Amino acid sequence: QNLHNTRSCGDFKEGSCQSRVIHIHIHSIQDLLHQKSNTTEINSQLLLQIHSNCLEMKVLQSTLLFLLSCSSVIVRETNGFVMPVRGVGTRVRNEAYTILSLKPEGSFVLSDDEIGPTLDLKVGSKGNVKIVNSYGLLGIFVSLLTCPIWSLAMYLVNAVVKNDPSKELYDYTGKIWSRAWMSLMNSFPAIEGLENIDLAKEQSKDGLGVLYVANHASWLDIPTICCAIDPVFKFIAKGQLTSTPFIGQQLKGGDHVLIDREDRRSQLRTFKECINWLKSGVSIMAFPEGMRSPDGRLIEFKGGSFSMASKTGSIIVPITMTNTHAVMPMNAIFPVQSGAGKLEVIIHPPINPEGKTEDELTTLVRNSIISRLPPDQVPLSTEHDKEINSIASLSKEKAVIA
């Protein structure tokens, strides 16, 4: 309650990214205390000591650090997970991916200590900081080894193959690269339900493409899904990705569907492109969450994805991907651990959109995806979804407490 009373003090403004991250901690802690209230004993002396150490800090910094410290103690007692709290006077880099989340037994998410020493790299035009640990160095080596070959293959296919309107062969170079890269990284996923791809094609009318719909928790989702689906399909991807080396070459050269989510006209153009691809027999891969989940948990679906199926009658195939967020978290530029025994792609039975509303399709697809998610990726609550999406809407501002 005291935290709520200080929300408008100083430069801690209502609706800021910092405010929303703290709210997520509040909701998570409330859920945690509700679940563990009969079994958990909090070390009050330790909490008082932490709070006294914070008194010299500004009120808002003190409140946040105290809250995070309480979270650490509570979670330690209940087998949970939270990023370690930094000492007083140091920078607390509390971005969305450090959100408190329960760590059920069997979770593969690594702590800072388990990740080990890291290098901080500034990437992109905004200078976002990404980490590389010792395992990530292997990712750099494998990328330097395979990406130039992939780029050359795309160039040669584009120069030689002229009669390929769907760019199937061009796109297949990306699938070969994905499978080679994932294998060399000892991260090739286990795949289940491949027969459902053939079943969806059999159920499709008039040669329509299939709408694949998957959860999205990591950049690693892209090569992971390419390991599983063989027939040609087009990603719906952010337009900014075209500036990413090699990935951008694939997206532009393969005529994938690019979207600017801040431009209404771009969204309409994207919808029309997807409709045209589906009608021509080319499948679409959509991530209905509209963004990577910062903590790996499935978040609220954005509207529009299932309108394509309703309009064309295309069969929908839900897909669950597991533990990609643990292998390559949002704050890493390469995997931080091997995906062997962790990554899995589950292709669910197809869903026919005929006679169903978009809300009904959303529920059916969401339930299918959730049915095979590990416990630490199952959505916590509607409130959790709202807070995650609110953070994303604030111009992707980092919540940094200096």
Side-chain angles (χ1 to χ4, degrees):
Q1 184 61 43
N2 290 337
L3 179 63
H4 283 287
N5 293 337
T6 62
R7 285 170 62 194
S8 55
C9 294
D11 57 359
F12 191 91
K13 297 180 181 178
E14 173 75 23
S16 69
C17 193
Q18 291 93 333
S19 170
R20 296 184 184 281
V21 170
I22 288 178
H23 280 189
I24 293 172
H25 281 280
I26 291 173
H27 294 306
S28 299
I29 292 170
Q30 287 174 341
D31 290 342
L32 185 59
L33 288 175
H34 177 72
Q35 296 171 21
K36 300 291 184 178
S37 58
N38 295 328
T39 59
T40 303
E41 293 183 0
I42 305 302
N43 188 333
S44 58
Q45 290 185 346
L46 176 58
L47 294 182
L48 288 173
Q49 182 180 356
I50 293 172
H51 189 257
S52 64
N53 289 338
C54 292
L55 291 179
E56 295 180 359
M57 301 178 67
K58 294 180 181 179
V59 173
L60 300 176
Q61 295 180 9
S62 172
T63 305
L64 177 58
L65 188 57
F66 178 60
L67 177 62
L68 294 177
S69 301
C70 291
S71 304
S72 298
V73 176
I74 295 169
V75 173
R76 185 181 65 191
E77 298 293 330
T78 56
N79 295 322
F81 168 77
V82 67
M83 298 293 283
V85 179
R86 313 298 182 187
V88 176
T90 63
R91 293 178 62 85
V92 180
R93 193 173 66 218
N94 182 33
E95 300 187 46
Y97 49 76
T98 64
I99 293 167
L100 169 70
S101 61
L102 297 179
K103 185 182 180 182
E105 185 176 353
S107 174
F108 293 109
V109 175
L110 300 181
S111 67
D112 271 1
D113 289 340
E114 291 171 323
I115 289 174
T118 62
L119 298 174
D120 288 351
L121 303 177
K122 289 186 177 181
V123 299
S125 58
K126 296 182 179 180
N128 295 327
V129 176
K130 301 289 186 180
I131 65 168
V132 179
N133 70 347
S134 57
Y135 194 82
L137 297 178
L138 174 63
I140 294 176
F141 173 77
V142 172
S143 298
L144 290 174
L145 179 67
T146 60
C147 285
I149 300 173
W150 176 28
S151 180
L152 178 61
M154 286 188 282
Y155 175 81
L156 292 175
V157 169
N158 191 52
V160 174
V161 180
K162 300 300 182 182
N163 188 25
D164 187 14
S166 68
K167 300 296 185 74
E168 181 174 6
L169 187 57
Y170 188 94
D171 281 349
Y172 204 76
T173 64
K175 294 175 183 176
I176 293 174
W177 173 81
S178 295
R179 295 165 191 182
W181 192 87
M182 295 289 281
S183 296
L184 291 171
M185 290 296 296
N186 191 30
S187 296
F188 199 92
I191 303 170
E192 177 184 328
L194 285 173
E195 68 279 3
N196 289 319
I197 295 178
D198 296 331
L199 183 58
K201 282 293 185 182
E202 292 174 6
Q203 294 179 4
S204 296
K205 299 177 180 178
D206 304 321
L208 290 171
V210 172
L211 178 61
Y212 298 110
V213 181
N215 59 306
H216 193 22
S218 170
W219 179 90
L220 201 63
D221 293 337
I222 297 174
T224 298
I225 206 70
C226 286
C227 290
I229 302 178
D230 220 33
V232 62
F233 65 87
K234 301 300 175 183
F235 280 108
I236 302 177
K238 294 187 301 183
Q240 298 94 311
L241 289 177
T242 57
S243 61
T244 304
F246 310 110
I247 299 293
Q249 183 182 355
Q250 174 78 90
L251 292 175
K252 289 187 292 186
D255 291 338
H256 290 261
V257 183
L258 305 176
I259 183 173
D260 181 354
R261 299 191 183 280
E262 298 178 1
D263 185 348
R264 178 63 178 170
R265 288 178 297 180
S266 172
Q267 296 176 25
L268 293 174
R269 183 173 62 253
T270 295
F271 184 80
K272 292 178 180 178
E273 286 183 33
C274 290
I275 294 294
N276 290 336
W277 277 125
L278 289 170
K279 287 182 176 179
S280 67
V282 176
S283 298
I284 294 292
M285 169 58 64
F287 298 114
E289 295 161 281
M291 59 177 282
R292 285 176 292 172
S293 169
D295 60 355
R297 294 187 183 275
L298 189 70
I299 58 178
E300 185 180 4
F301 288 177
K302 297 186 182 299
S305 297
F306 304 108
S307 300
M308 296 181 286
S310 298
K311 188 173 181 63
T312 62
S314 296
I315 299 296
I316 303 172
V317 176
I319 297 174
T320 300
M321 288 182 282
T322 67
N323 298 311
T324 56
H325 72 296
V327 175
M328 186 173 174
M330 188 176 285
N331 64 331
I333 194 172
F334 287 101
V336 297
Q337 61 175 317
S338 166
K342 306 176 185 73
L343 301 180
E344 188 174 9
V345 180
I346 300 97
I347 303 168
H348 297 279
I351 297 172
N352 192 326
E354 188 174 351
K356 300 180 181 69
T357 66
E358 290 183 31
D359 287 343
E360 290 172 335
L361 290 174
T362 298
T363 300
L364 288 171
V365 171
R366 188 174 177 85
N367 288 343
S368 293
I369 292 174
I370 290 175
S371 69
R372 294 298 300 273
L373 285 173
D376 63 343
Q377 289 190 261
V378 173
L380 282 174
S381 64
T382 302
E383 191 65 33
H384 172 268
D385 287 352
K386 289 180 180 178
E387 297 293 356
I388 292 289
N389 282 290
S390 296
I391 289 175
S393 68
L394 294 174
S395 303
K396 299 178 183 178
E397 176 188 359
K398 290 183 180 180
V400 178
I401 308 301

